[in-house]
């Protein structure tokens, strides 16, 4: 019910937890499978949710990374993500939130303009990845990227923190927030 | 409010099911692999875990630090630190400039040494470099000469200016003297007017004028009373007209 906060629980030993929020259950499940196939030294836990807030009565490990998955083909998914974002604590946006825009491969089917998603990601100062989850190869790439990011966000990579990664990503891909 | 429970219900099974299922899938191979591996692998795993824990501890620490509110003392400390940082930055700048200077000097030295070596190699009489150097020396001499000339001229100019200034000062002094002199004269004049002698003289003059006026009137009346036609005799006419003059206006 309540707002989701980062670092409110003790971390599990060698465990990294990601929360995928999106309306496309099947594709998310496939993505999760692809992530588990990735070669990773840490133990991965993947939670799927249609929307936030999460029920409070369930015992759940510390969530290290939240990925909001927007389907560019459906306006409802964007709405859903925007609704869910209100239940995330501000400190989560210090590098522990990402946006995944799927369906970017078929531009003709898109009902949401890319700029809309870019603006959304920039508003929340979070990285945005475009991807096409329906193809095996692309899915594997995205999964690899997510696993790597998750490891950093869970603190499994010594010397690199989530905030660190965020600033690195911003300088390379996105314009500074002042430019918007 | 109606939508929320629905969303939760939708979120819960997916959330729990995936979490449990994936965790279950993943754990056994990991655990089995670790147990089957040699002790070295275990050691690396332990080391990795240590690094992880350290990183996580660091993150929590930074979080706690960030959440702590700053007290005034800390603010003062911060100010001190800022001042120190500024000092250190200044020092760094100084060191940088010193380094640059040294580098420039070193470059020059290197260049001169290279030049020397080059000169030793080449025949001094035929080299273009020597000619150039001689030319440069000549030019330098010319420059120095013209510098000297300009200095001399400037000196002269300065002398002239000095003289002008002196003249100006002396003229100022003279003007001041003249002014004081004038003031003195004025004062003297005022003093004289105010003195008793002048007043007495003025009084006498007034009296005399009054007496004269009376006499004039008497004479006039005498002439008129004699009933002589004074207008016909030019001398008499002149006298009568003269008696008409008001002596106070003189």
């Amino acid at each position: 019910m309540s707002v989701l906060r980062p670092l409110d629980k003790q971390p599990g030993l060698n465990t990294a937890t990601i929360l995928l929020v999106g309306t496309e259950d099947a594709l998310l499940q496939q993505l999760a499978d692809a992530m588990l196939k990735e070669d990773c030294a840490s133990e991965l836990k993947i939670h799927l949710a249609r929307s936030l807030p999460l029920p409070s009565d369930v015992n759940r490990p510390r969530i290290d990374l939240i990925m909001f998955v927007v389907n560019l083909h459906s306006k409802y998914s964007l709405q859903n993500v925007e609704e869910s974002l209100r239940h995330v604590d501000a400190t989560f946006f210090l590098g522990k939130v990402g946006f995944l825009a799927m369906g970017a491969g078929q531009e003709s089917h898109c009902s949401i303009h890319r700029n809309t998603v870019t603006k959304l990601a920039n508003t929340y100062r979070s990285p945005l990845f475009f991807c096409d989850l329906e193809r095996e190869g692309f899915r594997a790439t995205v999964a690899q990227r997510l696993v790597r990011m998750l490891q950093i966000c869970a603190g499994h990579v010594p010397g690199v923190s989530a905030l660190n990664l965020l600033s690195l990503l911003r300088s390379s891909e996105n314009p500074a927030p002042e430019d918007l | 409010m109606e939508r929320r429970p629905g969303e939760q219900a939708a979120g819960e099974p997916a959330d729990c099911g995936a979490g449990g299922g994936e965790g279950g899938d993943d754990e056994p191979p990991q655990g089995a692999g670790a147990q089957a591996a040699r002790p070295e692998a275990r050691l690396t795993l332990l080391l990795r875990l240590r690094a992880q824990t350290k990183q996580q501890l660091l993150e929590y620490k930074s979080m706690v630090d960030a959440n702590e509110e700053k007290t005034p003392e800390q603010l003062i400390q911060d100010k001190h630190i800022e001042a120190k940082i500024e000092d250190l930055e200044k020092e760094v700048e100084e060191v940088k400039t010193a380094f640059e200077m040294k580098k420039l000097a070193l470059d020059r030295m290197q260049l001169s040494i290279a030049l020397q070596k080059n000169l030793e190699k080449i025949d001094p009489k035929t080299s273009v470099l020597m000619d150039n150097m001689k030319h440069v020396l000549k030019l330098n001499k010319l420059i120095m000469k013209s510098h000297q000339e300009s200095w001399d001229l400037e000196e002269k100019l300065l002398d002239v200016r000095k003289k002008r200034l002196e003249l100006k000062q002396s003229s100022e002094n003279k003007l001041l003297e003249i002014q004081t002199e004038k003031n003195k004269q004025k004062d003297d004049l005022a003093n004289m007017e105010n003195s008793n002698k002048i007043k007495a003289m003025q009084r006498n003059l007034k009296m005399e004028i009054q007496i004269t006026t009376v006499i004039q009137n008497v004479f006039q009346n005498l002439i008129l009373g004699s009933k002589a036609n004074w207008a016909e005799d030019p001398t008499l006419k002149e006298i009568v007209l003269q008696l008409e003059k008001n002596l106070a206006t003189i």
Side-chain angles (χ1 to χ4, degrees):
Chain A
M1 278 306 260
S2 57
V3 175
L4 214 54
R5 285 176 201 286
L7 305 181
D8 57 346
K9 288 176 195 165
Q10 289 206 348
L13 196 63
N14 203 19
T15 313
T17 314
I18 186 172
L19 177 64
L20 297 174
V21 182
T23 45
E24 319 290 321
D25 289 332
L27 285 171
L28 288 192
Q29 189 67 48
Q30 280 176 356
L31 179 64
D33 290 338
M35 279 178 75
L36 288 174
K37 270 182 213 154
E38 284 296 323
D39 183 30
C40 172
S42 317
E43 185 187 319
L44 295 186
K45 281 196 178 167
I46 301 174
H47 288 236
L48 304 182
R50 262 179 167 273
S51 66
L52 298 182
L54 298 174
S56 53
D57 49 341
V58 187
N59 188 19
R60 155 179 340 105
R62 185 181 81 150
I63 288 170
D64 299 306
L65 175 63
I66 308 178
M67 286 306 285
F68 289 100
V69 185
V70 182
N71 188 355
L72 287 180
H73 301 172
S74 112
K75 278 193 176 162
Y76 169 65
S77 73
L78 182 69
Q79 241 176 35
N80 178 43
V81 164
E82 277 171 348
E83 286 275 310
S84 303
L85 274 167
R86 291 194 280 125
H87 302 285
V88 181
D89 187 68
T91 44
F92 241 114
F93 292 99
L94 297 175
K96 300 205 170 197
V97 170
F99 291 94
L100 209 62
M102 55 181 265
Q106 299 146 291
E107 193 134 11
S108 53
H109 292 87
C110 287
S111 56
I112 304 170
H113 199 266
R114 286 172 56 143
N115 273 353
T116 321
V117 206
T118 317
K119 249 182 210 169
L120 178 74
N122 277 330
T123 315
Y124 286 95
R125 310 279 188 269
S126 298
L128 167 71
F129 308 121
F130 288 100
C131 63
D132 189 353
L133 290 183
E134 282 163 42
R135 292 204 207 165
E136 180 78 40
F138 292 159
R139 204 161 56 221
T141 319
V142 174
Q144 195 178 8
R145 208 165 175 186
L146 286 188
V147 167
R148 197 69 195 143
M149 216 172 137
L150 174 60
Q151 272 186 304
I152 289 170
C153 289
H156 289 190
V157 182
V160 189
S161 71
L163 198 56
N164 216 325
L165 179 72
L166 179 69
S167 52
L168 281 177
L169 281 174
R170 168 163 302 144
S171 63
S172 62
E173 286 180 2
N174 305 330
E178 292 81 47
D179 298 347
L180 298 172
Chain B
M1 286 315 273
E2 282 177 6
R3 275 181 65 191
R4 262 199 196 167
E7 278 177 3
Q8 277 167 33
E12 190 170 4
D15 176 29
C16 296
E22 255 68 84
D25 282 351
D26 197 40
E27 259 173 297
Q30 180 89 27
Q35 279 168 8
R38 291 162 294 156
E40 276 175 38
R42 270 196 198 174
L43 200 64
T44 52
L45 178 70
L46 277 178
L47 282 175
R48 209 160 47 74
L49 285 180
R50 191 170 138 234
Q52 276 178 20
T53 322
K54 264 188 192 170
Q55 177 74 20
Q56 281 165 350
L57 185 69
L58 186 78
E59 273 176 26
Y60 275 109
K61 260 188 191 165
S62 65
M63 193 80 166
V64 168
D65 283 351
N67 282 339
E68 264 178 18
E69 271 193 50
K70 278 189 178 176
T71 58
E73 289 169 16
Q74 271 177 323
L75 282 176
I76 291 166
Q77 261 189 349
D78 280 2
K79 268 180 196 167
H80 275 296
I81 287 170
E82 270 170 26
K84 253 186 191 174
I85 285 172
E86 251 172 48
D87 288 349
L88 287 176
E89 273 175 358
K90 257 186 214 164
E91 245 174 60
V92 167
E93 278 300 312
E94 276 170 17
V95 171
K96 264 188 192 167
T97 45
F99 172 72
E100 283 294 320
M101 300 273 270
K102 277 177 190 166
K103 205 181 152 196
L104 281 176
L106 196 68
D107 281 353
R108 201 174 275 187
M109 276 158 78
Q110 278 177 339
L111 187 71
S112 64
I113 285 169
L115 212 61
Q116 230 176 1
K117 276 184 186 165
N118 207 15
L119 280 179
E120 280 167 8
K121 268 187 216 161
I122 306 164
D123 185 22
K125 274 170 195 166
T126 57
S127 72
V128 185
L129 205 63
M130 279 304 275
D131 288 352
N132 272 341
M133 294 260 270
K134 272 175 194 165
H135 192 63
V136 166
L137 274 177
K138 221 189 271 171
L139 288 177
N140 272 348
K141 265 180 199 164
L142 272 177
I143 288 169
M144 272 164 73
K145 214 186 263 174
S146 38
H147 264 298
Q148 189 66 42
E149 275 171 21
S150 73
W151 274 338
D152 288 349
L153 285 174
E154 266 176 32
E155 233 163 80
K156 272 182 194 167
L157 193 72
L158 271 178
D159 279 351
V160 168
R161 274 186 187 163
K162 226 188 242 173
K163 270 183 193 167
R164 212 173 67 173
L165 195 73
E166 276 169 12
L167 281 174
K168 225 180 187 178
Q169 276 175 346
S170 61
S171 73
E172 224 168 87
N173 285 340
K174 281 275 176 266
L175 272 175
L176 265 176
E177 270 176 31
I178 290 168
Q179 192 87 31
T180 47
E181 200 69 28
K182 266 187 181 173
N183 283 345
K184 229 183 190 177
Q185 277 182 1
K186 242 185 214 171
D187 286 355
D188 283 355
L189 219 68
N191 282 340
M192 278 214 322
E193 271 177 17
N194 286 338
S195 68
N196 287 331
K197 226 180 185 178
I198 295 276
K199 272 181 188 169
M201 275 164 77
Q202 275 176 343
R203 227 181 292 142
N204 282 348
L205 184 67
K206 236 183 216 171
M207 215 140 75
E208 291 298 326
I209 285 172
Q210 280 169 1
I211 291 168
T212 330
T213 324
V214 170
I215 291 170
Q216 270 180 340
N217 285 336
V218 168
F219 272 120
Q220 222 171 4
N221 284 333
L222 267 181
I223 291 170
L224 286 176
S226 69
K227 291 188 178 171
N229 194 358
W230 53 271
E232 287 200 345
D233 192 348
T235 47
L236 207 57
K237 185 181 171 188
E238 204 179 320
I239 288 167
V240 171
L241 286 178
Q242 211 175 359
L243 290 175
E244 275 288 297
K245 270 186 191 166
N246 191 0
L247 284 175
T249 56
I250 296 170

